[in-house]
Amino acid sequence: MSSNTIQFRVVVNAEEQYSVWFLERPIPAGWTDTGTTGTRDECLAHIAEVWTDLTPRSVRERHGSVPA
């Protein structure tokens, strides 16, 4: 199977950290499907667009950057 035909989904955890996950595999505990699917490159491009602050949510909350 070509890397262009393998489908992925974008997942996010409680710390608002993003990752790609194989579409046909169950989502691991602690992660939530964002609804974005596509090739690995498409999913990574989406993550680059939406995940602009790599600081974990709990750290941002401690510093007052995010409402609790």
Side-chain angles (χ1 to χ4, degrees), residues 39-68:
T39 65
R40 185 174 187 274
D41 288 343
E42 290 168 339
C43 288
L44 290 174
H46 174 75
I47 289 171
E49 224 176 273
V50 298
W51 193 15
T52 57
D53 185 351
L54 301 183
T55 309
R57 181 179 178 88
S58 60
V59 173
R60 293 191 324 264
E61 287 175 350
R62 272 193 302 254
H63 293 281
S65 303
V66 161

Side-chain angles (χ1 to χ4, degrees), residues 1-65:
M1 190 177 272
S2 161
S3 63
N4 287 335
T5 60
I6 298 172
Q7 293 292 292
F8 292 85
R9 74 176 82 229
V10 176
V11 294
V12 65
N13 66 17
E15 289 288 345
E16 297 180 353
Q17 298 167 314
Y18 288 79
S19 187
V20 294
W21 195 253
F22 290 103
L23 188 59
E24 75 277 359
R25 292 189 185 169
I27 298 170
W31 293 85
T32 303
D33 187 350
T34 66
T36 300
T37 61
T39 65
R40 185 174 187 274
D41 288 343
E42 290 168 339
C43 288
L44 290 174
H46 174 75
I47 289 171
E49 224 176 273
V50 298
W51 193 15
T52 57
D53 185 351
L54 301 183
T55 309
R57 181 179 178 88
S58 60
V59 173
R60 293 191 324 264
E61 287 175 350
R62 272 193 302 254
H63 293 281
S65 303

